[in-house]
Amino acid sequence: MDFSWMVDFLKGMVKPLAATVVVLLAVVLSYVQKLGLGGEMVYSIARAFVQLSIIGFVLQFIFTRDSAIWIVLAYMFMVSVAGYTAGQRAKHVPRGKYVAGASILVGTSITMFLLIVLNVFPFTPRYIIPVAGMMVGNAMTVTGVTMKRLRDDIRTQMNLVGFLSHKCVVETLEWSDFNSVGKLIRIYGFWFTQVETALALGATPRQATLQQVKRALVISLSPVLDNAKTVGLISLPGAMTGLIMGGASPLEAIQLQIVVMNFLIGASTISSILSTYLCWPAFFTKAYQLETKVFSTE
């Protein structure tokens, strides 16, 4: 059996191994500053080596097959891992992993469908899988932050109401005093959140949590939009850098990056908005009341 490919691979890993000198410097600094991150740094870089090596062999196999089935399987694997990771970030959201996975799947599949219909890239593993990976990665981050922020925002209001009910600190509250967590309303000596009051007056969960949803979406999507505003000015994006290093014209690389950036924003926005809709069944009872069990833990 010919193992020349393994020899070539090991020779090519010499430079990546040499680059770990920078990580060792970070480990030393962590030890000096008593951060306790040295072990995690070593584990992280070792895991990255193993994961990227395996993925490299898998992609090499898929690229040689050039089959649509392998594209779909690779895409579904990425979505599954992304859904699990985003769900871990929003671990207090019931069925968070399924909510995140479904949101990421819908958001990225819509944008991928448009990408294929518009014939932006050839439907081959070499083009579709890397672009899908970028979309899924961005959607994963945004969706996880949205779900966590939405749940935490509602919980913050509930905790504040509990504090006021026990302390009875004031009779009236100005909007400006609590604009970061929402408006509180006093009815017959009891404090209610804006969400609870809206529900009591017949609002749907969507209407009652409109401000919390907006806040969560703005916070989660802001990094994506900031990145689009500064792209090329502070750093060159990965897709553009890879093309330039591969010998492509900078003008061609810019055109590709603009397309990718558009789809990243679209996929992230669709996924994050959908995740807020899918969270509601777990946040509210069938009687349209807040599900206190969801908000009882830190």
Side-chain angles (χ1 to χ4, degrees):
M1 186 177 293
D2 184 14
F3 288 99
S4 59
W5 60 271
M6 179 60 71
V7 175
D8 293 336
F9 172 76
L10 294 176
K11 288 180 179 179
M13 292 297 289
V14 172
K15 290 183 179 180
L17 287 172
T20 57
V21 172
V22 181
V23 178
L24 294 178
L25 175 61
V27 171
V28 172
L29 291 174
S30 173
Y31 176 78
V32 172
Q33 296 294 322
K34 298 180 180 179
L35 302 178
L37 296 175
E40 187 173 352
M41 289 179 182
V42 174
Y43 169 76
S44 298
I45 197 65
R47 178 173 171 172
F49 263 86
V50 175
Q51 288 179 177
L52 290 175
S53 298
I54 294 175
I55 290 299
F57 286 116
V58 171
L59 290 178
Q60 182 69 21
F61 171 82
I62 294 176
F63 288 175
T64 55
R65 296 301 182 274
D66 196 16
S67 171
I69 296 177
W70 288 107
I71 295 177
V72 174
L73 290 176
Y75 169 66
M76 294 305 298
F77 174 77
M78 290 187 288
V79 170
S80 300
V81 175
Y84 177 84
T85 305
Q88 284 290 95
R89 178 184 290 273
K91 58 184 177 181
H92 294 303
V93 176
R95 300 181 297 278
K97 297 180 180 64
Y98 298 102
V99 170
S103 302
I104 295 169
L105 176 63
V106 173
T108 55
S109 61
I110 290 175
T111 51
M112 289 295 296
F113 175 76
L114 293 175
L115 186 148
I116 295 171
V117 169
L118 296 175
N119 198 26
V120 177
F121 301 113
F123 189 70
T124 61
R126 188 172 298 274
Y127 287 92
I128 298 300
I129 291 179
V131 174
M134 287 186 282
M135 291 185 186
V136 171
N138 275 264
M140 173 192 71
T141 302
V142 171
T143 301
V145 172
T146 299
M147 294 167 59
K148 184 178 186 302
R149 178 69 192 192
L150 179 58
R151 183 261 179 190
D152 290 349
D153 204 351
I154 298 175
R155 182 178 182 275
T156 300
Q157 288 195 38
M158 296 179 68
N159 286 347
L160 184 58
V161 169
F163 171 79
L164 292 174
S165 298
H166 285 87
K167 298 299 181 180
C168 298
V169 289
V170 287
E171 288 296 325
T172 58
L173 294 175
E174 296 294 334
W175 166 255
S176 59
D177 294 334
F178 294 96
N179 60 1
S180 61
V181 294
K183 190 174 182 180
L184 301 177
I185 300 173
R186 187 175 175 85
I187 303 176
Y188 299 116
F190 296 94
W191 290 105
F192 295 89
T193 65
Q194 187 180 24
V195 175
E196 291 172 314
T197 304
L199 291 172
L201 294 175
T204 64
R206 176 69 179 179
Q207 294 169 331
T209 58
L210 184 60
Q211 294 301 320
Q212 289 74 24
V213 168
K214 284 184 177 180
R215 191 178 299 116
L217 291 173
V218 169
I219 290 174
S220 62
L221 289 172
S222 290
V224 179
L225 300 178
D226 290 341
N227 186 43
K229 294 174 185 176
T230 60
V231 63
L233 299 178
I234 299 176
S235 63
L236 297 180
M240 182 176 174
T241 302
L243 284 171
I244 293 175
M245 294 179 67
S249 165
L251 297 179
E252 294 177 350
I254 288 172
Q255 294 168 357
L256 174 65
Q257 186 58 52
I258 292 174
V259 173
V260 171
M261 189 65 66
N262 290 337
F263 282 100
L264 290 180
I265 294 175
S268 299
T269 303
I270 295 172
S271 298
S272 58
I273 292 176
L274 180 59
S275 69
T276 63
Y277 280 93
L278 297 181
C279 282
W280 285 329
F283 286 173
F284 298 91
T285 66
K286 294 181 179 180
Y288 280 2
Q289 297 174 327
L290 286 173
E291 185 64 76
T292 54
K293 292 187 296 183
V294 177
F295 306 101
S296 60
T297 55
E298 288 286 348

Coordinates of all heavy atoms in Angstrom, one line a residue, residues 20-31 41:
T20 N 3.3 26.8 16.7 CA 2.8 26.6 18.1 C 3.7 27.3 19.1 O 3.3 27.4 20.3 CB 2.7 25.1 18.5 OG1 4.0 24.5 18.3 CG2 1.7 24.4 17.6
V21 N 4.8 27.8 18.7 CA 5.7 28.6 19.6 C 4.9 29.8 20.1 O 5.1 30.2 21.3 CB 7.0 29.1 18.8 CG1 7.8 30.1 19.7 CG2 7.8 27.9 18.4
V22 N 4.1 30.4 19.3 CA 3.3 31.5 19.8 C 2.3 31.1 20.9 O 2.1 31.8 21.9 CB 2.5 32.2 18.6 CG1 1.7 33.4 19.1 CG2 3.5 32.6 17.5
V23 N 1.7 29.9 20.7 CA 0.8 29.4 21.7 C 1.6 29.1 23.0 O 1.1 29.4 24.1 CB 0.1 28.1 21.2 CG1 -0.8 27.5 22.3 CG2 -0.6 28.3 20.0
L24 N 2.8 28.6 22.9 CA 3.6 28.3 24.1 C 3.9 29.6 24.9 O 3.9 29.7 26.1 CB 4.9 27.6 23.8 CG 4.7 26.2 23.2 CD1 6.1 25.7 22.8 CD2 4.1 25.3 24.2
L25 N 4.1 30.7 24.1 CA 4.3 32.0 24.7 C 3.0 32.4 25.5 O 3.1 33.0 26.6 CB 4.6 33.1 23.6 CG 4.7 34.5 24.1 CD1 5.9 34.7 25.1 CD2 5.0 35.4 22.9
A26 N 1.9 32.2 24.9 CA 0.6 32.5 25.5 C 0.4 31.7 26.8 O -0.1 32.2 27.8 CB -0.6 32.3 24.6
V27 N 0.8 30.4 26.8 CA 0.7 29.6 27.9 C 1.6 30.1 29.1 O 1.2 30.1 30.2 CB 1.1 28.1 27.6 CG1 1.2 27.3 28.9 CG2 0.1 27.5 26.6
V28 N 2.8 30.5 28.7 CA 3.7 31.1 29.7 C 3.2 32.3 30.3 O 3.2 32.5 31.6 CB 5.1 31.4 29.1 CG1 6.0 32.1 30.1 CG2 5.8 30.1 28.7
L29 N 2.6 33.2 29.5 CA 2.0 34.5 30.0 C 0.8 34.1 30.9 O 0.6 34.8 31.9 CB 1.6 35.3 28.8 CG 2.7 36.0 28.0 CD1 2.1 36.7 26.8 CD2 3.5 36.9 28.9
S30 N 0.0 33.1 30.5 CA -1.1 32.7 31.4 C -0.6 32.3 32.7 O -1.3 32.6 33.8 CB -1.9 31.6 30.7 OG -2.9 31.1 31.5
Y31 N 0.5 31.5 32.7 CA 1.0 31.0 34.0 C 1.5 32.2 34.9 O 1.3 32.2 36.1 CB 2.1 30.0 33.7 CG 2.8 29.5 35.0 CD1 2.2 28.5 35.8 CD2 4.1 30.0 35.4 CE1 2.8 28.1 36.9 CE2 4.7 29.6 36.5 CZ 4.1 28.6 37.3 OH 4.7 28.2 38.4
M41 N -5.6 26.3 26.8 CA -4.9 26.7 25.6 C -4.3 25.5 24.9 O -4.4 25.3 23.7 CB -3.8 27.7 25.9 CG -4.4 29.1 26.3 SD -3.1 30.3 26.6 CE -4.0 31.7 27.1

